[in-house]
Amino acid sequence: MPNNKSSSVTMDAVYTAPGYLFRRMQQIAVALFMEECKAFDLTPVQYAALIAISTHPGIDATRLSAVIAFDRSTLGSVIERLEAKAFIERKPAPEDRRVKLLHLTRAGAAVLRDIMPSVDQAQLRMLQPLKPADRKTLLGLLTQLVDLNNEASRVPLRAEDALEHLGKSG
């Protein structure tokens, strides 16, 4: 039997909840990225993967997942798309040919170089409505919040652990 009493939760309560606001900002961030970077046919996750592969040539998919904090099972399709675009190549690891190491191609390096002004513009547009001091405050608080809640993520950021295994820093 349905409850006929009106709910005490209002849409205003939804619209001001942190989770709702984070989800909306994520939608806005992706939309701005896609708009600014449309000529390059890259998603934000593909871009992050290219940066990580460029920074850490020879990284494997498991460590790439840890470095960009992205679900390993979903990352496979990201890697396949980047390979299909000829931005990366997979090479067997010398010590275990079942493991594929990821490397940027010349085309991948070129797209990273060429996309940077568009990525920078997207980042600027995300924060543009705020005053400069508020931008700095927001970024500081978001960084703190993400760091303090890292372990609550389905895919916690594990960059240091992954890179230590590679024998590289950064």
Side-chain angles (χ1 to χ4, degrees):
M1 181 172 212
N3 184 351
N4 291 333
K5 293 182 181 180
S6 64
S7 174
S8 62
V9 177
T10 65
M11 286 309 297
D12 285 342
V14 172
Y15 295 152
T16 59
Y20 176 83
L21 292 168
F22 291 144
R23 183 184 65 79
R24 286 288 296 137
M25 194 59 227
Q26 169 64 10
Q27 289 175 321
I28 292 164
V30 170
L32 291 173
F33 181 96
M34 297 304 289
E35 184 179 314
E36 291 295 334
C37 301
K38 66 182 167 228
F40 301 95
D41 189 30
L42 283 179
T43 66
V45 172
Q46 291 171 351
Y47 168 75
L50 285 177
I51 292 288
I53 294 166
S54 173
T55 306
H56 308 290
I59 194 169
D60 63 76
T62 299
R63 282 166 190 77
L64 177 61
S65 171
V67 168
I68 65 172
F70 197 73
D71 179 67
R72 173 63 185 93
S73 60
T74 310
L75 187 61
S77 64
V78 171
I79 291 169
E80 287 172 9
R81 286 186 185 97
L82 291 173
E83 190 175 34
K85 293 175 186 183
F87 293 156
I88 65 167
E89 58 186 359
R90 293 187 249 199
K91 298 178 182 176
E95 64 280 358
D96 183 351
R97 299 191 60 77
R98 295 171 297 175
V99 175
K100 302 301 181 212
L101 305 181
L102 306 171
H103 297 271
L104 211 58
T105 63
R106 282 194 173 134
V111 79
L112 272 183
R113 179 190 65 241
D114 295 345
I115 199 174
M116 289 311 300
S118 298
V119 171
D120 291 344
Q121 183 60 30
Q123 302 301 316
L124 286 173
R125 285 182 63 196
M126 288 173 211
L127 297 176
Q128 193 170 18
L130 298 176
K131 296 175 189 167
D134 291 339
R135 293 173 197 161
K136 186 175 181 176
T137 300
L138 176 65
L139 289 175
L141 290 171
L142 281 174
T143 300
Q144 182 180 357
L145 202 53
V146 167
D147 289 347
L148 293 172
N149 284 304
N150 187 51
E151 295 307 314
S153 174
R154 285 184 326 125
V155 186
L157 182 64
R158 301 274 188 247
E160 294 82 14
D161 296 343
L163 297 177
E164 181 178 299
H165 186 273
L166 282 173
K168 300 177 182 179
S169 63

